[in-house]
Amino acid sequence: SALYSPARYCARVTNSDRPGCGLLSTHYTVVDTAAMDHASEQQMEIEALEAIFADELEEYQGISTGPDWPAVGKTYKLEITPREEGEEDDGDDPLEMELIFAHTAQYPEEAPCLRVLAVYGLSDSDVAACSAKLNQVVEENLGMAMVYTLVEAAKEWLRNRAEASAEVDPEEASKRAAAEEEAKRAAARAHGVTVTVERFMEWKAAFDAEMAAAKAKAEAGKDDDKNRRLSGKQWFMQDRAEASTEAGALSEDDEEDFELDEEEGEEL
């Protein structure tokens, strides 16, 4: 019966039926020790996680308890990156995700509430693949506190994913770098550039050099035009020579006409 179930125990309580009466009555209260064990084990796991991930474990308010999230107690969030234990955060993690979890009533005899959220560098297919891996780990660890094991499994999956990303096609890497550079330029255009004395002097030096080169080029062009331009005397002599050439050509034609006239006269 439920009274003698291993998961329950009986508490014998003795009271007097009424004040001043020596007769005693006895009744039994049934306590569910299994529920107490689950709650105690869950509390101990949270305390251990708080000690291990003191700066990373946070309470998460983004999910409400319901049929899809049958949580008991609080929901928590852990940041997951490919960094090894003890490795400093340089703020340049190529991939990052968040592991959202909460205990259920029968945890660890049943799976915890679990969800993976992409933060940076992960696609929907990546999230699905990581979630499938973690579900497999859950099945292998039912009956034991498993959140730390799930965190380590997520880190390992993320490291493997980061290594695979490092072997990307060079052309794809070039496109990505170009896109990032363009994004930086767009951000700079949006926010503008702070003008300092040093930047102004650099700009002025470049501007002065550019203007000096343009002026030198213009002066060289003027000299070429001057060299090609005829003086008054040269122009007069050239015009006279052309006129003489035309006159000479006209005289030759006249001579030919005269010779023809003479020939015709002789024939007559």
Side-chain angles (χ1 to χ4, degrees), residues 17-110:
D17 289 332
R18 55 191 179 183
C21 179
L23 296 176
L24 301 177
S25 63
T26 303
H27 66 276
Y28 295 87
T29 301
V30 178
V31 179
D32 191 341
T33 58
M36 290 180 62
D37 290 343
H38 290 150
S40 176
E41 190 166 0
Q42 293 166 14
Q43 181 60 34
M44 286 191 294
E45 182 177 40
I46 293 299
E47 291 175 358
L49 292 172
E50 288 174 339
I52 298 171
F53 305 107
D55 299 327
E56 302 165 76
L57 186 65
E58 299 178 10
E59 187 175 345
Y60 185 72
Q61 304 288 348
I63 302 178
S64 300
T65 302
D68 296 333
W69 194 260
V72 293
K74 298 178 180 179
T75 296
Y76 294 91
K77 176 184 74 174
L78 264 173
E79 176 188 278
I80 307 295
T81 68
R83 292 194 302 271
E84 299 286 351
E85 185 176 354
E87 186 177 351
E88 293 186 3
D89 181 6
D90 56 4
D92 193 28
D93 292 315
L95 304 173
E96 184 178 335
M97 65 184 179
E98 291 176 343
L99 185 64
I100 313 299
F101 71 91
H103 292 138
T104 56
Q106 301 299 318
Y107 174 87
E109 301 300 328
E110 64 183 7

Side-chain angles (χ1 to χ4, degrees), residues 136-197:
Q136 180 182 348
V137 174
V138 168
E139 293 297 324
E140 295 171 353
N141 288 272
L142 286 175
M144 298 181 290
M146 67 181 79
V147 173
Y148 181 80
T149 304
L150 290 169
V151 172
E152 289 300 302
K155 280 183 172 289
E156 181 182 1
W157 184 92
L158 208 55
R159 290 189 198 104
N160 293 336
R161 177 66 178 79
E163 291 174 0
S165 298
E167 299 174 0
V168 71
D169 181 20
E171 183 177 352
E172 184 65 25
S174 177
K175 290 180 179 178
R176 184 180 302 172
E180 292 176 354
E181 187 62 28
E182 178 58 30
K184 290 180 181 178
R185 286 196 293 267
R189 288 194 295 268
H191 296 288
V193 178
T194 303
V195 177
T196 62
V197 175

